Amino acid sequence: MRPVDLAREHGLSTQAVRNYEDAGVLPAADRTVHGYRTYTPLHAQALRAFVALVPAHGHRTATSIMRAVNEGATEEALRFVDESHGQLLDDRRTLQAVEAALGDLAPVPQELGDTFIGPLARRLGLRPATLRKWEEAGLVRPSRDPRTGYRVYDAADVRDVRLAHQLRRGGYLLEQIAPLIAQVRAAGGVGPLESTLRDWQARLSARGRAMLKGAAELDAYLAARDL
């Protein structure tokens, strides 16, 4: 089997196949008397496994998995797989926490105009020191008046303060609130964030399905190596 025969199945270049062999993704190929590489069905299955593992675990981890298998370190390869599954589980738990936090939020009224720390604190029944503490924790990022140096909270800043206030009353810690506020800020509000969360969930589901496919192809490769 020639490099082009392996490459064609996956729409790869022959150079990519050679690079994968050099990186340890594929087992070393035999050479003809003229120095040309010759591949076998085992190499073809190795490439199928790698191509399936990349969307599941990322290029670097997929490479580490295949290199470990080809070096005879199967347990190390399985450890890489387990660690990647653990990361996916952590990502799912983070998503669930964010969704739960959003579910606890009351509607945030639209704010108009800018305000300073004193009036904002009085409006929400907070102390200015609390708002300064939240700023230090990254929950809110007011600008500064260029003439006086006073903090100026625009409509988005007030929204973030209101969200933080609601979450604090719900029992959330500052370190739990900060990532949520960052998500809201990046999405441009709570409404757009709901779409972001759906996309996030879809990506996690796609990765989970990819892990199933990657596991099947990797198992087939391990079985082929045992023959």
Side-chain angles (χ1 to χ4, degrees), residues 5 15 34 40 42 63 79 89 121 123-124 142 151 188:
D5 297 321
Q15 185 58 54
H34 300 292
T40 68
L42 182 67
T63 298
R79 178 176 62 81
L89 180 58
R123 191 188 316 170
L124 298 179
R151 293 171 173 83

Side-chain angles (χ1 to χ4, degrees), residues 23-26 46 49-50 52-54 56-85 211 214-215 217-219 221-222 225:
V25 169
L26 304 180
F50 176 71
L53 288 169
V54 169
H57 305 280
H59 194 280
R60 178 180 298 179
T61 299
T63 298
S64 298
I65 292 169
M66 295 303 297
R67 184 183 294 130
V69 169
N70 292 327
E71 292 174 353
T74 303
E75 291 301 319
E76 182 178 5
L78 296 177
R79 178 176 62 81
F80 287 131
V81 173
D82 291 343
E83 289 175 349
S84 190
H85 277 277
M211 284 183 171
E217 294 291 355
L218 179 60
D219 184 64
Y221 179 53
L222 291 171
R225 284 177 57 87

Side-chain angles (χ1 to χ4, degrees), residues 10-185:
H10 304 287
L12 301 172
S13 67
T14 54
Q15 185 58 54
V17 173
R18 289 190 287 266
N19 290 344
Y20 288 149
E21 182 188 345
D22 293 339
V25 169
L26 304 180
D30 291 332
R31 302 279 184 141
T32 67
V33 293
H34 300 292
Y36 296 116
R37 291 174 169 88
T38 60
Y39 294 109
T40 68
L42 182 67
H43 292 91
Q45 183 56 52
L47 187 55
R48 290 188 198 104
F50 176 71
V51 169
L53 288 169
V54 169
H57 305 280
H59 194 280
R60 178 180 298 179
T61 299
T63 298
S64 298
I65 292 169
M66 295 303 297
R67 184 183 294 130
V69 169
N70 292 327
E71 292 174 353
T74 303
E75 291 301 319
E76 182 178 5
L78 296 177
R79 178 176 62 81
F80 287 131
V81 173
D82 291 343
E83 289 175 349
S84 190
H85 277 277
Q87 182 60 59
L88 177 60
L89 180 58
D90 287 343
D91 291 345
R92 288 190 182 282
R93 286 171 174 163
T94 299
L95 174 59
Q96 290 171 353
V98 172
E99 290 175 332
L102 283 178
D104 291 340
L105 294 177
V108 180
Q110 180 65 42
E111 294 288 339
L112 299 175
D114 298 337
T115 187
F116 295 101
I117 190 169
L120 179 59
R122 287 192 296 273
R123 191 188 316 170
L124 298 179
L126 298 170
R127 294 182 299 133
T130 299
L131 294 180
R132 288 191 288 269
K133 182 178 179 181
W134 289 358
E135 181 181 349
E136 293 173 0
L139 273 60
V140 64
R141 300 181 301 191
S143 59
R144 296 278 183 160
D145 185 289
R147 294 173 301 172
T148 65
Y150 293 158
R151 293 171 173 83
V152 179
Y153 296 81
D154 63 16
D157 295 323
V158 176
R159 175 203 65 204
D160 294 344
V161 169
R162 286 183 176 275
L163 292 178
H165 188 33
Q166 291 177 22
L167 290 169
R168 285 294 289 150
R169 286 184 299 186
Y172 288 88
L173 302 176
L174 292 183
E175 55 266 30
Q176 296 172 313
I177 297 173
L180 173 60
I181 296 294
Q183 288 277 353
V184 171
R185 191 179 297 133

